[in-house]
Amino acid sequence: MKGISVLIVVLTAYLTCFGQNAPLEQLGRPFFQTNINLIWNAPTNHLPRALWVYRALPSEVSPAVISNLLALGSFTTRDRKKVPGYPHTISYADPSGKRTLWIVPEWSDIRYRDSDADDMKIAEGVPDKQQAFELATNYLSKLGIEHSQLGRKPDSFELRPYFNEGKAMLYHHKGEPAYATNLHMRGVVLMRALDGVEFYGGSARGGCTIEFGHHSRICQIDVAWRKFKRDKLYAVAEPEKLLKWIRTGTAVWQSSPEWRSPDWSSARKMTITKVTPFYYGEARSEFDKPQNRIDPFAQLEATLDTGKTNFPILVNCPILEEKPLR
């Protein structure tokens, strides 16, 4: 019973903290290993002194943007489809079903697909990174994307793009060697940023992805671009406060993609080497109401000393002081 009582106390503290910050339970596992030695070795001179919490406003997708997307897919009024249960959703599909458009105005969410433009057997004219970046940025205005609200490279005014690629191994027959490796798609991801702080978790949470297939044809667009308004300004907590929150179980952890989960029973100390602020945005769901409050959080890159190895780990933690400045 004593162990259960302790767990209830920790969970209560965990949920209470998250009631005032980004819902980090969506971004990792509860950090209950609170008795290990914590060492802060991360520079903080790049962190803002204060950050805004934002409120979401009613969103929409402008008629001009819708018109541009209809032209992109060569959709006609006969291609318009009703979505049962979602009267405000705008949906189009060409007769073949290979080109589709899905717009949810209240989420400012856009999803366009053209499977003909992304054929794993065709690798002709797929743009390189620089070409894809130029094509994507030239198309942003047609999607209503504001350049001023996109993530930048550190200490620079240049946009910070992320890239993805589609590759396929081609075989004549099963069991035989591949006769070609096709790079059939290259995509550009531009994350949204508020006050210079990027959204975390991919463009579906805040930003824009444009992918190009053969002959530089657009094969996919994903946009999440809701309207936000500044609500309250909070001071950014000092490292000592972040360490305190980790010790009291108000952080979550996730292992790096290339590593399996650590052996917490042998953990001796954790050294924090880097801190990055992010905004948390929910990805659209047909079953959820839109997120109304947009909060920042801190992602801490750390090394966990298990006695046998140094294990890389990410810790997501609250970043704001409890009381607003204004």
Side-chain angles (χ1 to χ4, degrees):
M1 292 296 294
K2 182 178 179 181
I4 294 175
S5 299
V6 171
L7 180 60
I8 291 174
V9 170
V10 174
L11 282 171
T12 301
Y14 173 74
L15 294 174
T16 299
C17 176
F18 286 146
Q20 301 173 358
N21 289 276
L24 300 183
E25 68 272 18
Q26 304 293 329
L27 299 177
R29 306 176 189 178
F31 192 96
F32 293 144
Q33 293 74 19
T34 57
N35 57 348
I36 65 174
N37 184 22
L38 297 176
I39 300 172
W40 188 280
N41 194 25
T44 58
N45 58 319
H46 65 291
L47 292 178
R49 300 183 65 178
L51 285 170
W52 287 91
V53 168
Y54 281 78
R55 294 285 179 181
L57 299 176
S59 294
E60 61 184 7
V61 177
S62 73
V65 171
I66 295 173
S67 177
N68 292 333
L69 292 164
L70 295 181
L72 175 65
S74 299
F75 296 114
T76 69
T77 54
R78 280 186 269 182
D79 298 327
R80 180 77 183 260
K81 309 296 180 183
K82 292 184 178 180
V83 182
Y86 299 92
H88 302 298
T89 296
I90 300 169
S91 177
Y92 284 81
D94 79 325
S96 70
K98 293 183 177 180
R99 292 193 311 278
T100 60
L101 176 63
W102 182 279
I103 300 174
V104 183
E106 60 266 35
W107 282 85
S108 288
D109 183 276
I110 296 169
R111 302 184 188 187
Y112 170 81
R113 303 289 185 270
D114 181 355
S115 59
D116 262 346
D118 182 13
D119 186 334
M120 67 176 62
K121 296 181 180 180
I122 305 176
E124 299 173 358
V126 176
D128 60 26
K129 288 185 177 180
Q130 182 60 35
Q131 291 169 337
F133 174 73
E134 292 175 359
L135 289 169
T137 51
N138 287 339
Y139 201 80
L140 291 179
S141 61
K142 293 187 176 182
L143 297 172
I145 301 296
E146 304 169 42
H147 280 249
S148 62
Q149 289 191 25
L150 290 171
R152 311 280 161 167
K153 296 178 181 179
D155 303 316
S156 172
F157 292 107
E158 293 183 31
L159 296 179
R160 173 160 55 185
Y162 303 88
F163 297 94
N164 54 36
E165 296 177 345
K167 292 183 179 181
M169 303 288 289
L170 303 183
Y171 302 86
H172 284 300
H173 301 286
K174 184 177 180 180
E176 294 183 356
Y179 67 85
T181 300
N182 275 354
L183 194 158
H184 55 89
M185 181 278 294
R186 179 168 279 115
V188 181
V189 181
L190 296 165
M191 295 304 300
R192 191 174 184 179
L194 298 175
D195 304 313
V197 175
E198 287 188 5
F199 278 69
Y200 178 77
S203 63
R205 295 183 178 274
C208 174
T209 295
I210 304 180
E211 296 180 353
F212 302 91
H214 57 82
H215 301 102
S216 298
R217 288 174 56 187
I218 293 177
C219 58
Q220 181 166 319
I221 296 175
D222 288 296
V223 175
W225 203 266
R226 300 176 65 204
K227 290 184 179 180
F228 300 126
K229 177 184 178 181
R230 284 178 172 177
D231 185 26
K232 294 180 181 179
L233 183 66
Y234 291 79
V236 169
E238 296 292 333
E240 293 77 12
K241 181 66 71 72
L242 272 64
L243 293 175
K244 176 183 176 182
W245 284 331
I246 294 174
R247 292 191 179 98
T248 54
T250 56
V252 299
W253 66 272
Q254 59 186 97
S255 57
S256 298
E258 64 272 17
W259 286 73
R260 60 185 183 277
S261 297
D263 179 10
W264 287 103
S265 63
S266 62
R268 298 180 178 181
K269 67 178 179 179
M270 186 171 71
T271 303
I272 297 165
T273 57
K274 184 178 180 180
V275 54
T276 305
F278 287 102
Y279 274 99
Y280 175 84
E282 290 180 354
R284 178 184 65 77
S285 169
E286 288 85 355
F287 308 103
D288 296 333
K289 292 182 179 180
Q291 173 191 9
N292 291 321
R293 171 170 160 153
I294 312 301
D295 297 90
F297 68 95
Q299 182 167 92
L300 312 177
E301 297 180 25
T303 301
L304 188 67
D305 182 358
T306 64
K308 297 180 180 179
T309 185
N310 289 323
F311 193 98
I313 195 170
L314 298 175
V315 177
N316 296 319
C317 181
I319 195 173
L320 302 180
E321 292 286 359
E322 290 86 351
K323 295 182 179 180
L325 296 173
R326 53 189 172 98

PDB file of all heavy atoms in Angstrom, residues 24-48:
ATOM      1  N   LEU A  24       2.933  17.124 -22.085  1.00  0.00           N
ATOM      2  CA  LEU A  24       4.105  16.354 -22.466  1.00  0.00           C
ATOM      3  C   LEU A  24       3.879  14.856 -22.412  1.00  0.00           C
ATOM      4  O   LEU A  24       4.693  14.096 -22.951  1.00  0.00           O
ATOM      5  CB  LEU A  24       5.281  16.730 -21.557  1.00  0.00           C
ATOM      6  CG  LEU A  24       5.696  18.199 -21.589  1.00  0.00           C
ATOM      7  CD1 LEU A  24       6.900  18.429 -20.702  1.00  0.00           C
ATOM      8  CD2 LEU A  24       5.995  18.648 -23.012  1.00  0.00           C
ATOM      9  N   GLU A  25       2.802  14.425 -21.774  1.00  0.00           N
ATOM     10  CA  GLU A  25       2.523  12.985 -21.757  1.00  0.00           C
ATOM     11  C   GLU A  25       2.350  12.432 -23.162  1.00  0.00           C
ATOM     12  O   GLU A  25       2.432  11.220 -23.376  1.00  0.00           O
ATOM     13  CB  GLU A  25       1.294  12.681 -20.903  1.00  0.00           C
ATOM     14  CG  GLU A  25      -0.031  13.180 -21.457  1.00  0.00           C
ATOM     15  CD  GLU A  25      -0.362  14.598 -21.042  1.00  0.00           C
ATOM     16  OE1 GLU A  25       0.564  15.322 -20.622  1.00  0.00           O
ATOM     17  OE2 GLU A  25      -1.533  14.979 -21.128  1.00  0.00           O
ATOM     18  N   GLN A  26       2.115  13.329 -24.141  1.00  0.00           N
ATOM     19  CA  GLN A  26       2.005  12.909 -25.534  1.00  0.00           C
ATOM     20  C   GLN A  26       3.379  12.695 -26.175  1.00  0.00           C
ATOM     21  O   GLN A  26       3.470  12.156 -27.277  1.00  0.00           O
ATOM     22  CB  GLN A  26       1.250  13.972 -26.347  1.00  0.00           C
ATOM     23  CG  GLN A  26      -0.124  14.323 -25.809  1.00  0.00           C
ATOM     24  CD  GLN A  26      -1.106  13.169 -25.934  1.00  0.00           C
ATOM     25  OE1 GLN A  26      -1.013  12.358 -26.854  1.00  0.00           O
ATOM     26  NE2 GLN A  26      -2.038  13.072 -25.004  1.00  0.00           N
ATOM     27  N   LEU A  27       4.445  13.117 -25.488  1.00  0.00           N
ATOM     28  CA  LEU A  27       5.773  13.137 -26.093  1.00  0.00           C
ATOM     29  C   LEU A  27       6.782  12.217 -25.409  1.00  0.00           C
ATOM     30  O   LEU A  27       7.987  12.333 -25.659  1.00  0.00           O
ATOM     31  CB  LEU A  27       6.326  14.572 -26.089  1.00  0.00           C
ATOM     32  CG  LEU A  27       5.508  15.596 -26.873  1.00  0.00           C
ATOM     33  CD1 LEU A  27       6.119  16.975 -26.722  1.00  0.00           C
ATOM     34  CD2 LEU A  27       5.436  15.215 -28.350  1.00  0.00           C
ATOM     35  N   GLY A  28       6.338  11.336 -24.565  1.00  0.00           N
ATOM     36  CA  GLY A  28       7.294  10.438 -23.921  1.00  0.00           C
ATOM     37  C   GLY A  28       6.691   9.709 -22.746  1.00  0.00           C
ATOM     38  O   GLY A  28       5.487   9.766 -22.488  1.00  0.00           O
ATOM     39  N   ARG A  29       7.554   9.023 -22.025  1.00  0.00           N
ATOM     40  CA  ARG A  29       7.138   8.248 -20.860  1.00  0.00           C
ATOM     41  C   ARG A  29       7.437   9.032 -19.590  1.00  0.00           C
ATOM     42  O   ARG A  29       8.438   9.747 -19.522  1.00  0.00           O
ATOM     43  CB  ARG A  29       7.883   6.907 -20.827  1.00  0.00           C
ATOM     44  CG  ARG A  29       7.764   6.095 -22.119  1.00  0.00           C
ATOM     45  CD  ARG A  29       8.599   4.842 -22.036  1.00  0.00           C
ATOM     46  NE  ARG A  29       8.658   4.167 -23.332  1.00  0.00           N
ATOM     47  CZ  ARG A  29       9.350   3.065 -23.552  1.00  0.00           C
ATOM     48  NH1 ARG A  29      10.066   2.518 -22.569  1.00  0.00           N
ATOM     49  NH2 ARG A  29       9.357   2.497 -24.760  1.00  0.00           N
ATOM     50  N   PRO A  30       6.611   8.889 -18.571  1.00  0.00           N
ATOM     51  CA  PRO A  30       6.861   9.623 -17.315  1.00  0.00           C
ATOM     52  C   PRO A  30       8.253   9.341 -16.767  1.00  0.00           C
ATOM     53  O   PRO A  30       8.724   8.201 -16.773  1.00  0.00           O
ATOM     54  CB  PRO A  30       5.776   9.084 -16.375  1.00  0.00           C
ATOM     55  CG  PRO A  30       4.685   8.635 -17.289  1.00  0.00           C
ATOM     56  CD  PRO A  30       5.360   8.104 -18.516  1.00  0.00           C
ATOM     57  N   PHE A  31       8.908  10.389 -16.312  1.00  0.00           N
ATOM     58  CA  PHE A  31      10.266  10.291 -15.786  1.00  0.00           C
ATOM     59  C   PHE A  31      10.181  10.126 -14.270  1.00  0.00           C
ATOM     60  O   PHE A  31      10.174  11.087 -13.516  1.00  0.00           O
ATOM     61  CB  PHE A  31      11.061  11.554 -16.152  1.00  0.00           C
ATOM     62  CG  PHE A  31      12.534  11.441 -15.903  1.00  0.00           C
ATOM     63  CD1 PHE A  31      13.390  11.079 -16.924  1.00  0.00           C
ATOM     64  CD2 PHE A  31      13.066  11.662 -14.655  1.00  0.00           C
ATOM     65  CE1 PHE A  31      14.753  10.974 -16.711  1.00  0.00           C
ATOM     66  CE2 PHE A  31      14.415  11.550 -14.420  1.00  0.00           C
ATOM     67  CZ  PHE A  31      15.265  11.207 -15.451  1.00  0.00           C
ATOM     68  N   PHE A  32      10.124   8.866 -13.811  1.00  0.00           N
ATOM     69  CA  PHE A  32       9.997   8.600 -12.386  1.00  0.00           C
ATOM     70  C   PHE A  32      11.338   8.225 -11.745  1.00  0.00           C
ATOM     71  O   PHE A  32      11.400   7.975 -10.558  1.00  0.00           O
ATOM     72  CB  PHE A  32       8.988   7.469 -12.140  1.00  0.00           C
ATOM     73  CG  PHE A  32       7.577   7.850 -12.513  1.00  0.00           C
ATOM     74  CD1 PHE A  32       6.723   6.913 -13.064  1.00  0.00           C
ATOM     75  CD2 PHE A  32       7.104   9.138 -12.321  1.00  0.00           C
ATOM     76  CE1 PHE A  32       5.420   7.257 -13.405  1.00  0.00           C
ATOM     77  CE2 PHE A  32       5.807   9.493 -12.655  1.00  0.00           C
ATOM     78  CZ  PHE A  32       4.955   8.548 -13.201  1.00  0.00           C
ATOM     79  N   GLN A  33      12.430   8.174 -12.551  1.00  0.00           N
ATOM     80  CA  GLN A  33      13.740   7.843 -12.012  1.00  0.00           C
ATOM     81  C   GLN A  33      14.348   9.125 -11.450  1.00  0.00           C
ATOM     82  O   GLN A  33      15.215   9.752 -12.060  1.00  0.00           O
ATOM     83  CB  GLN A  33      14.636   7.229 -13.095  1.00  0.00           C
ATOM     84  CG  GLN A  33      14.177   5.862 -13.571  1.00  0.00           C
ATOM     85  CD  GLN A  33      12.943   5.952 -14.471  1.00  0.00           C
ATOM     86  OE1 GLN A  33      12.639   7.008 -15.014  1.00  0.00           O
ATOM     87  NE2 GLN A  33      12.226   4.847 -14.616  1.00  0.00           N
ATOM     88  N   THR A  34      13.868   9.550 -10.304  1.00  0.00           N
ATOM     89  CA  THR A  34      14.180  10.886  -9.786  1.00  0.00           C
ATOM     90  C   THR A  34      15.354  10.908  -8.818  1.00  0.00           C
ATOM     91  O   THR A  34      15.712  11.969  -8.328  1.00  0.00           O
ATOM     92  CB  THR A  34      12.945  11.457  -9.069  1.00  0.00           C
ATOM     93  OG1 THR A  34      12.547  10.557  -8.030  1.00  0.00           O
ATOM     94  CG2 THR A  34      11.788  11.611 -10.046  1.00  0.00           C
ATOM     95  N   ASN A  35      15.942   9.739  -8.518  1.00  0.00           N
ATOM     96  CA  ASN A  35      17.010   9.732  -7.524  1.00  0.00           C
ATOM     97  C   ASN A  35      18.404   9.622  -8.133  1.00  0.00           C
ATOM     98  O   ASN A  35      19.386   9.492  -7.409  1.00  0.00           O
ATOM     99  CB  ASN A  35      16.806   8.568  -6.544  1.00  0.00           C
ATOM    100  CG  ASN A  35      16.752   7.227  -7.257  1.00  0.00           C
ATOM    101  OD1 ASN A  35      16.648   7.187  -8.477  1.00  0.00           O
ATOM    102  ND2 ASN A  35      16.816   6.141  -6.503  1.00  0.00           N
ATOM    103  N   ILE A  36      18.517   9.675  -9.461  1.00  0.00           N
ATOM    104  CA  ILE A  36      19.841   9.620 -10.073  1.00  0.00           C
ATOM    105  C   ILE A  36      20.488  11.001 -10.010  1.00  0.00           C
ATOM    106  O   ILE A  36      19.819  12.023  -9.848  1.00  0.00           O
ATOM    107  CB  ILE A  36      19.773   9.123 -11.534  1.00  0.00           C
ATOM    108  CG1 ILE A  36      19.003  10.107 -12.422  1.00  0.00           C
ATOM    109  CG2 ILE A  36      19.156   7.746 -11.616  1.00  0.00           C
ATOM    110  CD1 ILE A  36      19.038   9.730 -13.896  1.00  0.00           C
ATOM    111  N   ASN A  37      21.798  11.014 -10.142  1.00  0.00           N
ATOM    112  CA  ASN A  37      22.557  12.258 -10.093  1.00  0.00           C
ATOM    113  C   ASN A  37      22.353  13.021 -11.400  1.00  0.00           C
ATOM    114  O   ASN A  37      22.632  12.513 -12.481  1.00  0.00           O
ATOM    115  CB  ASN A  37      24.041  11.939  -9.878  1.00  0.00           C
ATOM    116  CG  ASN A  37      24.876  13.199  -9.718  1.00  0.00           C
ATOM    117  OD1 ASN A  37      24.367  14.261  -9.362  1.00  0.00           O
ATOM    118  ND2 ASN A  37      26.157  13.077  -9.985  1.00  0.00           N
ATOM    119  N   LEU A  38      21.858  14.257 -11.295  1.00  0.00           N
ATOM    120  CA  LEU A  38      21.607  15.082 -12.473  1.00  0.00           C
ATOM    121  C   LEU A  38      22.673  16.168 -12.578  1.00  0.00           C
ATOM    122  O   LEU A  38      22.938  16.883 -11.610  1.00  0.00           O
ATOM    123  CB  LEU A  38      20.221  15.734 -12.393  1.00  0.00           C
ATOM    124  CG  LEU A  38      19.011  14.785 -12.386  1.00  0.00           C
ATOM    125  CD1 LEU A  38      17.731  15.578 -12.208  1.00  0.00           C
ATOM    126  CD2 LEU A  38      18.963  13.960 -13.660  1.00  0.00           C
ATOM    127  N   ILE A  39      23.262  16.274 -13.771  1.00  0.00           N
ATOM    128  CA  ILE A  39      24.313  17.267 -14.003  1.00  0.00           C
ATOM    129  C   ILE A  39      23.907  18.138 -15.187  1.00  0.00           C
ATOM    130  O   ILE A  39      23.582  17.629 -16.261  1.00  0.00           O
ATOM    131  CB  ILE A  39      25.661  16.581 -14.290  1.00  0.00           C
ATOM    132  CG1 ILE A  39      26.080  15.711 -13.096  1.00  0.00           C
ATOM    133  CG2 ILE A  39      26.742  17.610 -14.601  1.00  0.00           C
ATOM    134  CD1 ILE A  39      27.296  14.859 -13.376  1.00  0.00           C
ATOM    135  N   TRP A  40      23.924  19.467 -14.978  1.00  0.00           N
ATOM    136  CA  TRP A  40      23.595  20.392 -16.063  1.00  0.00           C
ATOM    137  C   TRP A  40      24.883  20.864 -16.717  1.00  0.00           C
ATOM    138  O   TRP A  40      25.717  21.513 -16.089  1.00  0.00           O
ATOM    139  CB  TRP A  40      22.817  21.589 -15.537  1.00  0.00           C
ATOM    140  CG  TRP A  40      22.300  22.455 -16.653  1.00  0.00           C
ATOM    141  CD1 TRP A  40      23.013  23.379 -17.360  1.00  0.00           C
ATOM    142  CD2 TRP A  40      20.989  22.445 -17.231  1.00  0.00           C
ATOM    143  NE1 TRP A  40      22.234  23.958 -18.332  1.00  0.00           N
ATOM    144  CE2 TRP A  40      20.975  23.402 -18.274  1.00  0.00           C
ATOM    145  CE3 TRP A  40      19.828  21.743 -16.956  1.00  0.00           C
ATOM    146  CZ2 TRP A  40      19.850  23.665 -19.037  1.00  0.00           C
ATOM    147  CZ3 TRP A  40      18.701  21.999 -17.721  1.00  0.00           C
ATOM    148  CH2 TRP A  40      18.710  22.951 -18.749  1.00  0.00           C
ATOM    149  N   ASN A  41      25.065  20.545 -17.986  1.00  0.00           N
ATOM    150  CA  ASN A  41      26.247  20.962 -18.730  1.00  0.00           C
ATOM    151  C   ASN A  41      25.829  21.537 -20.085  1.00  0.00           C
ATOM    152  O   ASN A  41      26.517  21.357 -21.090  1.00  0.00           O
ATOM    153  CB  ASN A  41      27.196  19.777 -18.918  1.00  0.00           C
ATOM    154  CG  ASN A  41      28.571  20.220 -19.373  1.00  0.00           C
ATOM    155  OD1 ASN A  41      28.995  21.353 -19.122  1.00  0.00           O
ATOM    156  ND2 ASN A  41      29.276  19.329 -20.059  1.00  0.00           N
ATOM    157  N   ALA A  42      24.690  22.226 -20.125  1.00  0.00           N
ATOM    158  CA  ALA A  42      24.139  22.753 -21.376  1.00  0.00           C
ATOM    159  C   ALA A  42      24.192  24.274 -21.371  1.00  0.00           C
ATOM    160  O   ALA A  42      23.771  24.913 -20.400  1.00  0.00           O
ATOM    161  CB  ALA A  42      22.695  22.295 -21.551  1.00  0.00           C
ATOM    162  N   PRO A  43      24.682  24.896 -22.448  1.00  0.00           N
ATOM    163  CA  PRO A  43      24.652  26.366 -22.523  1.00  0.00           C
ATOM    164  C   PRO A  43      23.217  26.872 -22.606  1.00  0.00           C
ATOM    165  O   PRO A  43      22.349  26.214 -23.171  1.00  0.00           O
ATOM    166  CB  PRO A  43      25.431  26.668 -23.806  1.00  0.00           C
ATOM    167  CG  PRO A  43      25.358  25.412 -24.617  1.00  0.00           C
ATOM    168  CD  PRO A  43      25.292  24.282 -23.645  1.00  0.00           C
ATOM    169  N   THR A  44      22.984  28.054 -22.048  1.00  0.00           N
ATOM    170  CA  THR A  44      21.638  28.626 -22.036  1.00  0.00           C
ATOM    171  C   THR A  44      21.603  30.037 -22.600  1.00  0.00           C
ATOM    172  O   THR A  44      20.549  30.686 -22.561  1.00  0.00           O
ATOM    173  CB  THR A  44      21.090  28.660 -20.595  1.00  0.00           C
ATOM    174  OG1 THR A  44      21.974  29.434 -19.768  1.00  0.00           O
ATOM    175  CG2 THR A  44      20.965  27.246 -20.025  1.00  0.00           C
ATOM    176  N   ASN A  45      22.729  30.502 -23.149  1.00  0.00           N
ATOM    177  CA  ASN A  45      22.767  31.889 -23.641  1.00  0.00           C
ATOM    178  C   ASN A  45      21.869  32.114 -24.844  1.00  0.00           C
ATOM    179  O   ASN A  45      21.531  33.251 -25.180  1.00  0.00           O
ATOM    180  CB  ASN A  45      24.205  32.289 -23.976  1.00  0.00           C
ATOM    181  CG  ASN A  45      24.838  31.364 -25.014  1.00  0.00           C
ATOM    182  OD1 ASN A  45      24.659  30.154 -24.965  1.00  0.00           O
ATOM    183  ND2 ASN A  45      25.584  31.932 -25.937  1.00  0.00           N
ATOM    184  N   HIS A  46      21.445  31.028 -25.517  1.00  0.00           N
ATOM    185  CA  HIS A  46      20.581  31.159 -26.691  1.00  0.00           C
ATOM    186  C   HIS A  46      19.104  31.167 -26.326  1.00  0.00           C
ATOM    187  O   HIS A  46      18.257  31.443 -27.175  1.00  0.00           O
ATOM    188  CB  HIS A  46      20.837  29.998 -27.648  1.00  0.00           C
ATOM    189  CG  HIS A  46      20.467  28.669 -27.084  1.00  0.00           C
ATOM    190  ND1 HIS A  46      21.165  28.082 -26.048  1.00  0.00           N
ATOM    191  CD2 HIS A  46      19.454  27.813 -27.376  1.00  0.00           C
ATOM    192  CE1 HIS A  46      20.617  26.923 -25.747  1.00  0.00           C
ATOM    193  NE2 HIS A  46      19.577  26.741 -26.531  1.00  0.00           N
ATOM    194  N   LEU A  47      18.777  30.865 -25.072  1.00  0.00           N
ATOM    195  CA  LEU A  47      17.379  30.772 -24.676  1.00  0.00           C
ATOM    196  C   LEU A  47      16.762  32.156 -24.497  1.00  0.00           C
ATOM    197  O   LEU A  47      17.409  33.075 -23.980  1.00  0.00           O
ATOM    198  CB  LEU A  47      17.250  29.998 -23.354  1.00  0.00           C
ATOM    199  CG  LEU A  47      17.583  28.510 -23.384  1.00  0.00           C
ATOM    200  CD1 LEU A  47      17.445  27.923 -21.985  1.00  0.00           C
ATOM    201  CD2 LEU A  47      16.680  27.769 -24.360  1.00  0.00           C
ATOM    202  N   PRO A  48      15.500  32.330 -24.901  1.00  0.00           N
ATOM    203  CA  PRO A  48      14.812  33.599 -24.617  1.00  0.00           C
ATOM    204  C   PRO A  48      14.573  33.736 -23.122  1.00  0.00           C
ATOM    205  O   PRO A  48      14.499  32.736 -22.381  1.00  0.00           O
ATOM    206  CB  PRO A  48      13.494  33.461 -25.386  1.00  0.00           C
ATOM    207  CG  PRO A  48      13.280  31.993 -25.526  1.00  0.00           C
ATOM    208  CD  PRO A  48      14.631  31.372 -25.626  1.00  0.00           C
TER     209      PRO A  48
END
